[in-house]
Amino acid sequence: MQASAKAQPNIALIKYWGKRDRARNLPAVGSISVTLADLYTEMDINLDADVDSDVLIVNGSVDEQMLPRISRCLDMVAGDQRNAATIDSRSNFPVAAGLASSASAFAAAVVATAAAAGLERTTAELARLAGRASGSAARSLYGGFVELEMSDDDIAVSSLIPADAWPLKVVIAITAGGPKPIGSGEAMEISRKTSPFYKCWVDDQAQDLDAARSAIKNGDFDGLANTAEHNCLKMHSVMWTSRPAVVYWNAATLECLRAIRDLRSQGVGTFFTVDAGPQVKAICLAEDEARVRDALQSVPGVLSIITSGLGPGARLTRPA
Ligand code: DP6
């Protein structure tokens, strides 16, 4: 009744923002992401009949705030009659700062829970379960470039190409520490209800997904860069025009965007994306990684830099 899993966060190039069904946590739009290699969450799950209630430990400290969400996720995988769990989660990067820590956490949780409960589940089933807990987590079940498709009744997640087919790099500029002011789930509901741009965002998404998918299949970096930057700015426009406005950026976020655009205009293979937080992710060609890292490091307000390649999907580590 014990198992461990490891999962990496993913960075969306075509974003998920908005829910069509809150009860089932179904996204309003499809999305495309890259799964990272070097940032990870490792999770041990011990289902124990002698324990009274679930306990969650995150990086060595008891976490009561996240516990109800993770307990619900375990119920979805193993049923609400399951034994109580001791959940020990360790991540090698800042949690709740717009680096998709919930994606790697819930992806690891579904894989470890199914194994601890002795259940055979396909990756597609595990992705659907992870998506119930957090939409972006569904994508971390797969490696490389991943698409989450939304149909009327459910999500379907698949790998577009594996990580080694197009080994791009991701340079992350950390521009603020600490948790974000408002969680993405809550913020996207505010956008759905109040932004005058929300309908346009949802209606436009198929076009961006098509463009990104074919750029990925053809190794067309510029095509992917143009579509991903446009999609990111469109999502943030929806956030900014919500009431109350949802603004995750700070001055350094904007300075990083400017630095990345300058690099691109000089022929450097890089483009930006920003999620529900102030950190900036520069996707880049492997040969340009050092140049992008050096440029972002010298942007005023950048506190630190994290770099990563692209990696595999969530997997069981014990029993292997
Ligand atoms: C901006 O997956 O965190 O990162 O389903 O409510 O848990 P919930 O939302 P979540 O939202 C991610 C939003 C995003 C874009 C993306 O990753 O596609």
Side-chain angles (χ1 to χ4, degrees):
M1 299 302 262
Q2 265 187 50
S4 306
K6 186 169 181 177
Q8 279 84 244
N10 65 80
I11 306 292
L13 306 181
I14 303 298
K15 309 290 191 185
Y16 149 46
W17 194 254
K19 298 175 198 286
R20 81 167 49 187
D21 178 341
R22 275 180 83 191
R24 295 168 69 208
N25 201 44
L26 292 182
V29 289
S31 53
I32 290 178
S33 60
V34 285
T35 302
L36 301 181
D38 303 84
L39 281 63
Y40 59 80
T41 299
E42 283 180 309
M43 196 176 281
D44 307 330
I45 297 212
N46 188 358
L47 295 171
D48 187 345
D50 297 330
V51 170
D52 292 336
S53 55
D54 292 346
V55 178
L56 171 65
I57 298 154
V58 176
N59 294 330
S61 306
V62 171
D63 185 336
E64 297 201 346
Q65 207 189 334
M66 190 72 176
L67 179 64
R69 230 179 134 189
I70 203 105
S71 289
R72 275 199 302 278
C73 174
L74 268 62
D75 290 348
M76 275 185 293
V77 179
D80 54 12
Q81 300 304 308
R82 66 176 170 82
N83 291 335
T86 304
I87 306 139
D88 186 0
S89 176
R90 302 168 300 278
S91 295
N92 71 339
F93 61 98
V95 296
L99 290 183
S101 56
S102 61
S104 53
F106 287 116
V110 294
V111 172
T113 305
L119 301 166
E120 295 273 337
R121 294 281 181 266
T122 63
T123 307
E125 287 167 338
L126 291 170
R128 259 180 238 116
L129 290 163
R132 296 270 182 277
S134 181
S136 55
R139 300 186 306 239
S140 275
L141 266 295
Y142 293 85
F145 291 76
V146 178
E147 176 160 8
L148 183 153
E149 284 175 78
M150 185 56 235
S151 72
D152 279 345
D153 46 340
D154 216 334
I155 57 166
V157 189
S158 59
S159 172
L160 291 173
I161 58 169
D164 57 3
W166 201 12
L168 299 181
K169 301 286 179 185
V170 182
V171 177
I172 303 171
I174 305 290
T175 65
K180 49 196 173 197
I182 175 168
S184 40
E186 196 186 331
M188 57 178 86
E189 272 304 288
I190 297 174
S191 290
R192 183 180 67 80
K193 289 182 188 145
T194 65
S195 171
F197 296 169
Y198 183 77
K199 184 179 180 311
C200 171
W201 156 254
V202 173
D203 291 347
D204 253 28
Q205 190 79 341
Q207 199 176 308
D208 290 356
L209 287 166
D210 287 347
R213 198 184 305 112
S214 62
I216 290 164
K217 297 257 154 119
N218 296 322
D220 170 9
F221 189 84
D222 277 340
L224 184 60
N226 291 336
T227 310
E229 287 191 350
H230 170 71
N231 188 266
C232 165
L233 293 176
K234 206 158 48 179
M235 177 185 75
H236 285 274
S237 303
V238 173
M239 295 175 178
W240 286 29
T241 51
S242 300
R243 289 174 184 236
V246 177
V247 180
Y248 287 110
W249 298 10
N250 58 34
T253 310
L254 200 52
E255 278 302 307
C256 287
L257 263 47
R258 189 195 48 75
I260 292 166
R261 292 176 89 112
D262 283 355
L263 287 169
R264 249 189 109 196
S265 68
Q266 293 159 31
V268 177
T270 186
F271 64 88
F272 64 76
T273 192
V274 185
D275 291 297
Q279 331 303 3
V280 176
K281 291 104 180 186
I283 318 297
C284 47
L285 295 172
E287 63 263 33
D288 288 326
E289 180 189 359
R291 205 157 154 203
V292 173
R293 195 190 52 225
D294 291 350
L296 290 179
Q297 212 141 31
S298 59
V299 170
V302 169
L303 307 175
S304 60
I305 299 279
I306 300 173
T307 56
S308 178
L310 307 189
R315 62 224 172 265
L316 204 58
T317 51
R318 198 174 47 107

